[in-house]
Amino acid sequence: MSAGSFYITTPIFYVNDVPHIGHAYTEVAADVLARWHRQSGDDAWLLTGTDEHGQKILRTAIANGVTPKEWADRLVETAWKPLLKTVNIANDDFIRTTDERHEVNAQKFLQHLHDAGHIYTGEYEGYYCVGCEEYKQTSDLVDGTGDYTGQPVCAIHSKPVELLHEKNYFFKMSAFADRLLALYEENPNFVQPEAARNEVMSFVKRGLSDLSISRSSFDWGIKVPWDESHVVYVWFDALLNYITAAGYGQNDDEFESRWPATHIVGKDILRFHAVIWPAMLMAAGIEVPKQVFGHGWLLVGGEKMSKSKLTGIAPSQITDTFGSDAFRYYFMRAISFGQDGSFSWEDLSARYQSELANGFGNLASRVIAMVVRYCDSVVPAAGAFTTDDLAIQATEKRVTEAAAAAIDKLAIHDALSTVWELVDELNGYITLQEPWALAKNPESRERLGTVLHTAVRGLGTLAVLLSPVLPVATGKLWTALGGDAALADQRVDRAWEWTGGAAVRALEPLFPRIESFVEPTDG
RNA sequence: GGGGCGGUAGCUCAGCUGGUUAGAGCAGCGGACUCAUAAUCCGUCGGUCCUGGGUUCAAGUCCCAGCCGCCCUACCA
């Protein structure tokens, strides 16, 4: 695999939302991919950030007696940046749509589209839902109940919609339907997984309408450069973060070296990324993204997680008990990336115990404890390898390669289950070789050394391979193994090549047993 | 209404272009071992592959119909 730019993005958080495990899930997936590529010699760059414009934010800010910028600042600092810490995201940049670099260059982009004739003036009248920040079709409305009886309300928010008509600027998106379809046809990987691609294609095949891209009823947004009485539609504004953060409009060299990006998005916002966004880029004469990957939803009790149903779970509820590594591992391992996945405390707790504590954590403990006890902490040199020893080495190589192939397809769950084959095989190897028995007999001293040497090497391979997912635990393990240089600098594509450090250091349990775990309850 | 995805052991899921007695992990049960976080290892129990038709020498895997769940999308009222 040749080294190159690997630019990966998460959606930017809408600051008014409350962080839940769904947000953290997207972040972790992108972070794991970024770390993996970074440790594969690529110039990996992970972008995340916040979406801060729009009427909804303006209204909450006013309701809270502050300016919208102050409101956004507060949420960024108290909710969103802390979320990244909670699940240990190593992002390279954090863009806010209120950053000057974004506002200025988003305007450049818009002006460019305008000059090139992709934008026209039109009249728009329709029912507008402030909650959705968009105009609704009548079919999206339902009859209100309770306080709103007799009025049409948004089917999603159950709140009254407003009948607005305004002069709008429109983006001639309809002109790009054919080019988009050609893109999906010629590059099947552009939208993935397959189910997502099908959805998008059938949507575009029905034809595209033009997109209203400005609002004049409020002013919390990016000003339309040729008509400052309008602000840019929030989605149009938000999507541009992916290029403004990469230097578009102000640093051509940087932009050239990073773009195009791989976008990781939830399937609910797939269409914005797989249809509108590439159309915008085509209009501007900019290369389309490398890929848009729509992952599934987290289901709690068989239903899409939601705040209104009290199934929304804050990431810290999990990390406070299990730690950030376990959070990352669980969601990456238990859910096929791209499909919906069910979350339950029982499953999380069971996997933590059996896979992290008993499987990987205990393996590390037993190997290091034996080197300390039988070899005075010195990693022994190997004698002649038996077929059993060579089989372990072969597995190290095999899983290293298979994991890389899985990551290449964004099959993070497959990569992890492949690596776990090495965990299981090493546990079996140790039980079979019985180093504790070898240690009792001076004549088997060399064999003992070879076995422990092999086990230490295997652990080192695991530390490297798992470092993108379990950065904290593998960092401790790497140190305990006497690994030289920083673990984050170890090449994951050559993980199996590591042949051991000089001496080990005692290691606390990587994933301590959680004796009594009480499932958090809401309210 | 049109379309997509799914319905496989108690639980969570694999099963690619159809091919011997349907797999994994966890949970359960039995045994071994003691280096380790009562951990690990071995063995074992366990399935009308949603239902009904059909194609085929052969279907969990293809076709048709239906039921259930979720999603995208349209529209009548």
Side-chain angles (χ1 to χ4, degrees), chain A residues 14 51 53-55 133 218 220 232-239:
Chain A
Y14 197 63
D51 179 11
H53 291 130
Q55 191 166 13
E133 295 284 9
F218 62 94
W220 177 235
V232 179
Y233 170 49
V234 283
W235 263 107
F236 204 88
D237 166 357
L239 288 164

Side-chain angles (χ1 to χ4, degrees), chain A residues 335-383:
Chain A
I335 297 170
S336 282
F337 194 51
Q339 298 196 302
D340 290 352
S342 29
F343 166 82
S344 72
W345 289 99
E346 293 74 19
D347 192 35
L348 165 64
S349 182
R351 283 184 183 271
Y352 177 89
Q353 199 57 247
S354 72
E355 294 168 14
L356 291 176
N358 299 348
F360 179 49
N362 182 58
L363 171 67
S365 294
R366 65 197 301 214
V367 170
I368 286 175
M370 284 189 281
V371 174
V372 170
R373 189 155 148 188
Y374 303 144
C375 307
D376 205 15
S377 296
V378 176
V379 177

Side-chain angles (χ1 to χ4, degrees), chain A residues 8 48 62 103 143 191 214 246 264 298-299 304:
Chain A
I8 185 165
T48 190
I62 290 168
E103 297 196 337
D143 294 329
V191 185
S214 74
I264 304 296
L298 303 183
L299 307 178
K304 184 189 174 189

Side-chain angles (χ1 to χ4, degrees), chain A residues 9-38:
Chain A
T9 72
T10 71
I12 50 177
F13 306 115
Y14 197 63
V15 288
N16 255 22
D17 288 343
V18 177
H20 58 61
I21 56 177
H23 298 111
Y25 174 61
T26 315
E27 289 291 325
V28 168
D31 183 54
V32 166
L33 294 168
R35 286 179 192 257
W36 189 283
H37 280 267
R38 215 173 274 138

